[in-house]
Amino acid sequence: MVMASEDEVSLLVIVVDVNPIWWGQQANREPQFTLSKCLDAVMVMGNSHLVMTRNNKLAIIASHCQESHFLYPFKLWKSGDGHGDDNPSTSGDGKYELLSVANDIMAEEIKILMSRTEVKGNQTDTLLAGSLAKALCCILFIKMLTGQEIKSRILVIKAADDCALQYMNFMNVIFAAQKQSILIDACVLDSDSGLLQQACDITGGLYLMIPQKIALAQYLLWVFLPDSDQRSQLVLPPPVHVDYRAACFCHRNLIEIGYVCSVCLSIFCNFSPICTTCETAFKIPLPQMVKAKKKKLKPST
Amino acid sequence: MAALSEEVLLVVKRVRQRKQDGTLYLMAERIAWGPEGKDRFTVSHLYADIRQKISPDGKAKIQLQLVLHTGESTNFHFSNESTALRDRDAAKDLLQQLLPKFKKRANKELEEKNRMLQEDPVLFQLYKDLVVSQVISAEEFWANRLSLNNVDHSASNNKQEVGISAAFLADIRPQTDGCNGLRYNLTSDIIESIFRTYPAVKQKYAENVPHNLTEKEFWTRFFQSHYFHRDRISTGLQDIFSECAKQDEKGLRSMVVQGVKNPLVDLLSLEDKTLDEGYGSNSMAPSTSSANKTVKENSNSAIIKRFNHHSAMVLAAGAGKKADAPNDQASETSSTDGNSRDSDFFQPPVKKVKIQEAIEYEDLHMENGKKTVALNLKKSDRYSHGPVPLLPQQYTTSQDIINSVNCIQQEIANYKPCLTQVMSSSTASSAIAALSPGGLLMQAGSQQAINQMVPSDVQGELKHLYTAAGELLRHFWSCFPVNTPFLEEKLTGHLEDMFQMAYNKFHAWQTRQMLRKT
């Protein structure tokens, strides 16, 4: 039988946005699709990935507003492998032990995570950049553990909105992933996220905003289960147009045409004779000041 | 009238011009005469304008006549009884020295103009059109152009002077003439070398030629004189060159007295000190008085003196134009003007330079880094902020937050994964429809629905294959968990074959489809 190369390890890291505030409000908005359903879909996805090939590995990170927590694998670092658990949780349905153990661990961990949530007014944003960074570290760790080059990708399931404060960290993570050839896929439940669009575009992953939340499992299996080699042979949703406009330094509005200081490269939407960042004076004759440069932010090196 | 900054070189009183008493002034760039008692000059000529001066000798009146380029002539009558001749000669000499400088300049200018006109026919045409026909004056025409050339002149004047070969005298190489005579070949180069090295000889030449001797005679005398020959014993012969010998002696002595300004060179350590027989040291101080020396020592020292003098003169002549005053041999080895009252002041710079040269290496100096301007960012946190989100963020009250969190905590506390009922088949199929070509999410791709892209017979065959594969898989999965040997045997033997057959069938169908397409 023709199979994918037997020794190749493929690691999938799923980052699930479990922002309690957003999901709590979601429970009121749409009771048929709550965090439980979402977690079920994620489990299905994880199981499917593990079942595709023996060499596939899985990691799941819950991205909370207070921390980023590994839902799976938890006991990996403690006892070497996920098997051989003394927990007789073979729920009786003949399930492959790896899968049942994984599911049990995930359920347990999310319960622990949610139970220790503390309500804080100033921390309402999902720590997505941190979770991505942890995912990168996990990939690196597995690479060192297996001692060989592995194919890895990160799947982000995003619920709440973007946080502008995490911009810099986010971009750094994106570039690090690109350097390591790690794909970042994004499945967005609610509203478009510019940062994730950029991430997918730069690393070569897929970005999808799903119209029906209750069909999440189907979308995940159809679009995000195949890895990058197989995707080239499938007909998948086309890439979205990414808004790469830069933000001006004075108002942080997205602009298409702006003025760039030649000394410190800060972007302004209006001309001013002195750059407010580096205090350089420009000797441009004022009547002819249409020296606008179309500025496109091209982060890829 | 008289510019205050002009330097007056010579003032002669009691000079008459046009029957008027007055004073003659010779300045740096012009000659002027003013009547007595008055402050201003009535006659003033630039040296550049003077074509020649005539000083008729042998007349009762002692006069000096200046002829200008324009043809005018001016007569000055030196009327001071006692000093008239001397005054006149002094004025004449000064003019003799000054005029050539300005003459050359004037000539050079004309030559330059001619050259330019000849080289550039366009310029020549322009000149003819404008200047000859009196549209522009010649001065204006040349005003712009000549300024450029003067720069070239000064540049070309700075070109290097040819040095003097130290062996120029030896190169003369007398050849025997046949009948007991010697033939000396003198080229103008050699003559120039002699003049530059021995200014005394040049002066003698200037004095005697062409009045007293012809050039040939002068040089014959020169070579005949003992001055030229090796054994220069001052014999007191009536020789025009005996003075030169005396001057040389004087010059040499003054050079020795001046010494060398380099503190690192100790000339005295080069003195000849003979060791006595048996290699003992001779404690007797060498005496320099010539009375004690033997004849042999005398001639040796004479030769050595002449060598040293010759070398010093060659070096000095090549050292540059500082030795302008021809009689000032003393200034040849010093780099300053010999203002002895300032000797203490002048000495340290030379000494300093020499010492510094010896102790410093340029290569080992610290490199002067280029001056850079530091980047001065006042608000560097601007770089770390991203854009403001396009959509306004939803505002949540703190009550909302508390409610949400409680709700979630409750929900998850009771969470039990139920993977068999993740979604209904209708939602799944609608999702699939949206993802298929022509569906909701595939709008940017091809607009065709999948039904239209694939022919219906291929669709039918594929459906059959899919159903058959599904049936086999159902058999496969129903064997788990493997509890009985029957199931185990079925799995490892039977099903394996079935799968292999199914796969072959599919592979064949696939190949057929691909062949059909190509």
Side-chain angles (χ1 to χ4, degrees):
Chain A
M1 284 204 184
V2 176
M3 293 210 310
S5 107
E6 301 224 9
D7 293 335
E8 202 163 53
V9 173
S10 175
L11 170 62
L12 171 67
V13 183
I14 306 179
V15 177
V16 189
D17 182 359
V18 296
N19 191 330
I21 299 156
W22 190 89
W23 282 107
Q25 290 170 339
Q26 170 69 3
N28 295 333
R29 286 193 293 257
E30 226 182 301
Q32 67 270 33
F33 185 75
T34 60
L35 184 55
S36 317
K37 285 281 183 204
C38 178
L39 289 171
D40 284 349
V42 168
M43 267 188 220
V44 166
M45 172 73 178
N47 291 347
S48 308
H49 177 76
L50 286 174
V51 166
M52 291 280 277
T53 320
R54 261 192 192 272
N55 295 327
N56 280 357
K57 292 194 192 302
L58 178 70
I60 302 185
I61 301 175
S63 185
H64 198 271
C65 43
Q66 290 163 351
E67 60 180 301
S68 307
H69 185 75
F70 272 92
L71 294 182
Y72 178 82
F74 180 69
K75 295 187 172 126
L76 183 68
W77 289 278
K78 296 259 169 95
S79 62
D81 219 343
H83 306 272
D85 201 39
D86 53 6
N87 189 0
S89 68
T90 53
S91 63
D93 58 359
K95 198 185 284 184
Y96 181 29
E97 283 104 2
L98 177 64
L99 301 182
S100 61
V101 163
N103 294 347
D104 290 340
I105 291 175
M106 272 193 259
E108 204 180 300
E109 288 300 324
I110 190 70
K111 282 180 186 165
I112 295 172
L113 175 63
M114 281 308 180
S115 63
R116 63 172 184 234
T117 303
E118 289 165 21
V119 182
K120 275 198 188 136
N122 54 350
Q123 287 173 349
T124 57
D125 287 316
T126 319
L127 299 178
L128 198 53
S131 308
L132 284 175
K134 270 201 172 170
L136 288 178
C137 293
C138 170
I139 292 173
L140 196 63
F141 182 83
I142 302 288
K143 267 190 195 171
M144 287 194 322
L145 216 58
T146 57
Q148 64 189 66
E149 281 304 307
I150 59 173
K151 289 171 56 172
S152 43
R153 61 189 202 271
I154 301 175
L155 169 62
V156 180
I157 298 173
K158 190 165 179 309
D161 289 330
D162 271 345
C163 170
L165 296 173
Q166 296 176 16
Y167 175 75
M168 214 56 190
N169 303 333
F170 217 98
M171 297 312 286
N172 285 336
V173 165
I174 294 170
F175 292 130
Q178 187 211 15
K179 276 283 189 291
Q180 297 286 315
S181 318
I182 298 171
L183 261 60
I184 297 182
D185 298 320
C187 184
V188 177
L189 299 178
D190 195 11
S191 49
D192 269 322
S193 156
L195 289 173
L196 278 176
Q197 281 178 348
Q198 286 189 33
C200 299
D201 194 47
I202 291 168
T203 57
L206 269 171
Y207 176 88
L208 186 66
M209 187 170 97
I210 56 177
Q212 285 176 289
K213 294 192 194 63
I214 46 175
L216 174 64
Q218 183 60 50
Y219 288 112
L220 289 179
L221 291 173
W222 186 277
V223 179
F224 296 107
L225 189 58
D227 62 19
S228 53
D229 296 337
Q230 296 158 1
R231 282 179 201 180
S232 54
Q233 300 169 17
L234 299 171
V235 179
L236 291 172
V240 291
H241 169 75
V242 186
D243 187 0
Y244 275 124
R245 287 182 294 168
C248 72
F249 277 44
C250 32
H251 313 103
R252 308 234 68 90
N253 295 329
L254 293 173
I255 52 174
E256 277 163 359
I257 297 180
Y259 299 85
V260 181
C261 168
S262 52
V263 173
C264 62
L265 299 181
S266 40
I267 306 161
F268 299 104
C269 45
N270 289 320
F271 173 76
S272 80
I274 295 183
C275 167
T276 45
T277 316
C278 64
E279 301 191 346
T280 313
F282 296 109
K283 300 189 189 84
I284 305 176
L286 282 174
Q288 301 167 332
M289 67 172 169
V290 189
K291 284 248 178 202
K293 251 177 25 178
K294 189 158 184 186
K295 178 77 178 73
K296 267 198 168 195
L297 180 64
K298 256 293 179 202
S300 55
T301 52
Chain B
M1 280 301 210
L4 289 169
S5 56
E6 273 184 81
E7 195 187 327
V8 179
L9 298 172
L10 184 63
V11 179
V12 185
K13 294 210 185 345
R14 307 280 302 267
V15 175
R16 292 176 73 106
Q17 200 253 355
R18 295 222 184 119
K19 313 274 194 288
Q20 252 193 321
D21 267 328
T23 322
L24 185 69
Y25 299 87
L26 277 91
M27 285 174 287
E29 286 193 15
R30 59 184 179 140
I31 181 169
W33 179 89
E36 200 142 300
K38 297 227 176 105
D39 238 348
R40 45 187 197 83
F41 301 135
T42 38
V43 178
S44 157
H45 299 298
L46 290 172
Y47 293 132
D49 292 338
I50 299 176
R51 193 163 57 166
Q52 60 173 184
K53 53 144 188 52
I54 305 173
S55 51
D57 282 331
K59 286 203 180 155
K61 279 209 264 184
I62 298 170
Q63 283 180 330
L64 182 66
Q65 188 184 37
L66 297 174
V67 181
L68 302 177
H69 283 303
T70 52
E72 280 177 38
S73 70
T74 321
N75 257 329
F76 295 106
H77 175 204
F78 293 80
S79 57
N80 193 344
E81 277 88 46
S82 47
T83 58
L85 191 59
R86 212 166 23 133
D87 291 338
R88 206 269 315 270
D89 284 338
K92 185 185 79 171
D93 285 335
L94 197 54
L95 279 175
Q96 190 179 352
Q97 286 174 20
L98 293 168
L99 279 182
K101 289 191 209 161
F102 292 91
K103 198 178 197 177
K104 258 188 265 174
R105 226 184 273 173
N107 273 352
K108 278 243 164 72
E109 277 185 43
L110 274 174
E111 272 177 34
E112 197 55 41
K113 286 181 191 173
N114 274 339
R115 191 185 60 82
M116 279 175 72
L117 286 178
Q118 275 170 8
E119 278 177 5
D120 192 359
V122 175
L123 193 67
F124 188 49
Q125 188 62 37
L126 207 61
Y127 184 79
K128 266 200 299 191
D129 289 339
L130 294 172
V131 176
V132 176
S133 55
Q134 309 279 330
V135 177
I136 308 182
S137 71
E139 274 174 26
E140 281 181 28
F141 183 78
W142 290 113
N144 286 341
R145 290 177 174 83
L146 273 184
S147 56
L148 298 168
N149 282 357
N150 282 340
V151 173
D152 290 335
H153 260 291
S154 56
S156 62
N157 278 343
N158 287 344
K159 66 178 179 233
Q160 287 177 330
E161 302 232 340
V162 181
I164 301 173
S165 153
F168 65 85
L169 282 179
D171 280 341
I172 298 178
R173 269 191 220 130
Q175 302 158 341
T176 51
D177 202 1
C179 39
N180 255 7
L182 287 172
R183 200 183 159 76
Y184 288 89
N185 255 341
L186 275 181
T187 62
S188 56
D189 275 342
I190 298 179
I191 294 179
E192 200 198 321
S193 306
I194 296 178
F195 283 162
R196 276 170 75 181
T197 318
Y198 298 105
V201 175
K202 184 176 183 181
Q203 207 189 3
K204 291 282 176 196
Y205 183 86
E207 282 171 13
N208 293 317
V209 173
H211 315 292
N212 297 342
L213 306 164
T214 61
E215 208 170 322
K216 193 172 169 194
E217 277 183 23
F218 177 78
W219 288 115
T220 322
R221 287 266 196 104
F222 175 74
F223 287 116
Q224 278 175 349
S225 78
H226 280 277
Y227 176 69
F228 176 68
H229 286 287
R230 192 171 61 143
D231 299 325
R232 209 200 279 180
I233 308 168
S234 49
T235 52
L237 272 180
Q238 275 305 326
D239 202 351
I240 46 175
F241 296 104
S242 53
E243 272 183 42
C244 297
K246 292 201 184 93
Q247 271 181 359
D248 284 347
E249 278 278 332
K250 244 196 313 181
L252 192 61
R253 237 178 238 134
S254 68
M255 269 191 244
V256 168
V257 162
Q258 273 199 348
V260 178
K261 288 254 184 317
N262 190 350
L264 299 173
V265 172
D266 183 15
L267 280 181
L268 292 179
S269 65
L270 299 174
E271 227 178 285
D272 281 340
K273 291 189 181 81
T274 57
L275 294 176
D276 243 353
E277 286 182 19
Y279 303 111
S281 65
N282 190 359
S283 55
M284 201 167 56
S287 75
T288 51
S289 67
S290 46
N292 286 344
K293 287 197 183 145
T294 62
V295 174
K296 187 166 173 230
E297 278 180 8
N298 263 344
S299 65
N300 280 349
S301 71
I303 292 182
I304 292 174
K305 257 198 238 173
R306 278 195 70 194
F307 273 133
N308 287 342
H309 177 72
H310 174 79
S311 307
M313 299 296 277
V314 168
L315 281 177
K321 308 159 195 160
K322 289 197 182 125
D324 231 351
N327 285 328
D328 192 12
Q329 289 181 356
S331 70
E332 270 147 8
T333 50
S334 74
S335 58
T336 66
D337 259 350
N339 290 330
S340 49
R341 65 173 184 276
D342 290 284
S343 62
D344 282 338
F345 184 65
F346 279 123
Q347 213 177 31
V350 179
K351 199 170 171 182
K352 222 183 198 179
V353 165
K354 290 281 181 209
I355 293 180
Q356 235 178 358
E357 269 177 20
I359 60 176
E360 282 181 0
Y361 285 108
E362 244 179 70
D363 295 352
L364 299 180
H365 280 194
M366 290 267 290
E367 276 193 37
N368 294 332
K370 288 190 211 153
K371 286 207 175 149
T372 54
V373 180
L375 182 61
N376 173 24
L377 294 175
K378 294 286 180 216
K379 298 179 188 163
S380 55
D381 57 324
R382 280 178 171 185
Y383 292 96
S384 44
H385 288 304
V388 169
L390 289 168
L391 304 170
Q393 297 219 312
Q394 292 169 357
Y395 177 69
T396 45
T397 64
S398 43
Q399 191 57 44
D400 272 343
I401 293 173
I402 298 171
N403 290 344
S404 312
V405 170
N406 287 337
C407 179
I408 274 295
Q409 278 177 331
Q410 267 183 340
E411 182 193 327
I412 293 299
N414 303 327
Y415 170 59
K416 210 160 161 51
C418 181
L419 298 184
T420 52
Q421 286 156 11
V422 174
M423 61 185 166
S424 66
S425 52
S426 54
T427 49
S429 43
S430 65
I432 292 173
L435 287 170
S436 310
L440 201 59
L441 297 170
M442 310 289 280
Q443 291 304 322
S446 69
Q447 297 293 324
Q448 276 183 316
I450 189 79
N451 301 352
Q452 297 149 7
M453 287 203 294
V454 182
S456 53
D457 57 340
V458 175
Q459 275 187 45
E461 283 169 23
L462 208 49
K463 274 182 191 160
H464 293 151
L465 279 170
Y466 183 77
T467 326
E471 179 65 23
L472 284 175
L473 275 174
R474 195 177 65 77
H475 278 280
F476 177 75
W477 285 114
S478 67
C479 293
F480 292 96
V482 183
N483 298 332
T484 64
F486 166 71
L487 287 173
E488 192 180 333
E489 193 270 326
K490 183 180 175 187
L491 207 55
T492 52
H494 198 57
L495 272 176
E496 188 79 23
D497 297 333
M498 280 203 294
F499 275 127
Q500 194 62 45
M501 274 198 316
Y503 178 73
N504 291 343
K505 228 171 142 185
F506 174 72
H507 195 64
W509 181 82
Q510 187 188 32
T511 339
R512 244 184 300 136
Q513 290 301 315
M514 278 164 53
L515 284 173
R516 216 191 276 175
K517 278 212 163 164
T518 54

